[in-house]
Amino acid sequence: MNTAEREIAKLFTSNSLKAIASGNLSSLEKVINNSTLSSNININSIYDIYSSAFDFLSQNYRNEYVYKNFIARKILRGKHSLQTSVLLSEFRVGQNKADLVLLNGCSTCYEIKTEYDSLLRLEDQLQSYIQLFEKVYVVCPKSLQTDVEAIIPHNIGIIILNDNNTLRTIKEAISNNIFDISLMMKSLRKEEYL
C-alpha cells in the first residue's frame, strides 16, 4: 500500500466525512491534487470523487471498508429486504467488536479479515461471536482461505471476496441456538436493553 491509496482510504473515515460536512475540503483537495490519483478519479462532483475513489480502492486497496460495502451491497441489498433487515457495524461482543452484524429474524455475524490483517485474534473473536449470533462467517480473500480453514470451528462459515469483487460462500455457517444471555446484556448499551 502506498501513500496515494492511504489518502483515498482516508476519504471514507468518519473524521474526513465530518470535516467535509463542516466545509473542510482538505481531504478532497489532497486526492484531487495527487497526480497518481487524479488520473483515476473523476472530479466533477463530490459524488463522483467518492464513487471513483471507491472503485479505485476496490481494485487497488481492498481494506475493511471495501469488504463492508460489498457485504452491504451483495448480501444485505442483494438477498434481503431493507424494510426487514438491519446491518450494524462494529458491534461490541465482550472484549471484541464484530465487523458487521445482520439482523433479520436471524442474527448473522461477519468477521472480516483482509489481505492486510493478521489472524492472531480470530479464534478468540469467533469464540465470542458464536455465543451471541445464530450464524457466524469469516469474510476473507482467497489468499487467506487455507489459514482461516485451519483456525475456525466446524460451525463457522467462510465467504471469499474474489479478485473480481464477488462474494462466494465456500462453507455455510451452521445455525447455533445456544446463546450466552449475560454476554448479550454486556454487549448492549443501556438504552438498547431497556
Side-chain angles (χ1 to χ4, degrees), residues 93-133:
V93 181
Q95 300 299 315
N96 298 301
K97 285 187 181 176
D99 291 319
L100 284 176
V101 173
L102 177 64
L103 304 172
N104 65 341
C106 172
S107 60
T108 306
C109 172
Y110 299 94
E111 179 57 31
I112 297 167
K113 294 298 179 188
T114 74
E115 295 90 335
Y116 310 102
D117 289 331
S118 162
L119 300 179
L120 290 176
R121 295 181 43 242
L122 182 59
E123 191 172 0
D124 179 58
Q125 291 170 310
L126 297 176
Q127 288 304 318
S128 295
Y129 305 155
I130 60 176
Q131 295 177 61
L132 198 57
F133 302 107

Side-chain angles (χ1 to χ4, degrees), residues 7-13 16-17 20 27-28 31 49-50 53:
E7 286 303 321
I8 287 185
K10 284 181 187 176
L11 282 178
F12 296 93
T13 64
S16 180
L17 292 169
I20 291 168
S27 58
L28 290 174
V31 170
I49 293 169
Y50 271 92

Side-chain angles (χ1 to χ4, degrees), residues 13-139:
T13 64
S14 58
N15 286 341
S16 180
L17 292 169
K18 287 176 191 172
I20 291 168
S22 300
N24 177 349
L25 304 179
S26 61
S27 58
L28 290 174
E29 290 167 358
K30 283 181 186 176
V31 170
I32 291 168
N33 294 328
N34 186 309
S35 60
T36 304
L37 305 177
S38 59
S39 61
N40 295 302
I41 302 288
N42 182 343
I43 58 172
N44 293 327
S45 68
I46 291 176
Y47 172 82
D48 289 337
I49 293 169
Y50 271 92
S51 180
S52 298
F54 182 80
D55 290 343
F56 179 85
L57 289 177
S58 68
Q59 296 304 313
N60 300 288
Y61 178 55
R62 296 186 328 167
N63 61 5
E64 187 176 295
Y65 181 81
V66 170
Y67 276 70
K68 286 180 177 181
N69 272 271
F70 283 119
I71 292 168
R73 288 179 187 184
K74 298 175 189 233
I75 295 176
L76 174 64
R77 286 182 36 208
K79 295 181 180 180
H80 302 286
S81 165
L82 294 174
Q83 303 298 322
T84 59
S85 302
V86 175
L87 190 64
L88 306 171
S89 181
E90 302 295 321
F91 186 83
R92 186 171 37 92
V93 181
Q95 300 299 315
N96 298 301
K97 285 187 181 176
D99 291 319
L100 284 176
V101 173
L102 177 64
L103 304 172
N104 65 341
C106 172
S107 60
T108 306
C109 172
Y110 299 94
E111 179 57 31
I112 297 167
K113 294 298 179 188
T114 74
E115 295 90 335
Y116 310 102
D117 289 331
S118 162
L119 300 179
L120 290 176
R121 295 181 43 242
L122 182 59
E123 191 172 0
D124 179 58
Q125 291 170 310
L126 297 176
Q127 288 304 318
S128 295
Y129 305 155
I130 60 176
Q131 295 177 61
L132 198 57
F133 302 107
E134 185 175 339
K135 293 183 178 181
V136 178
Y137 285 92
V138 176
V139 184

Side-chain angles (χ1 to χ4, degrees), residues 108-111 122 126 130 134-140 145 148-149 152-160 168-175:
T108 306
C109 172
Y110 299 94
E111 179 57 31
L122 182 59
L126 297 176
I130 60 176
E134 185 175 339
K135 293 183 178 181
V136 178
Y137 285 92
V138 176
V139 184
C140 65
Q145 179 182 344
V148 167
E149 287 173 335
I152 65 171
H154 77 283
N155 56 339
I156 305 295
I158 300 174
I159 298 173
I160 298 296
R168 185 166 63 98
T169 302
I170 300 299
K171 180 178 180 260
E172 287 289 342
I174 297 171
S175 289

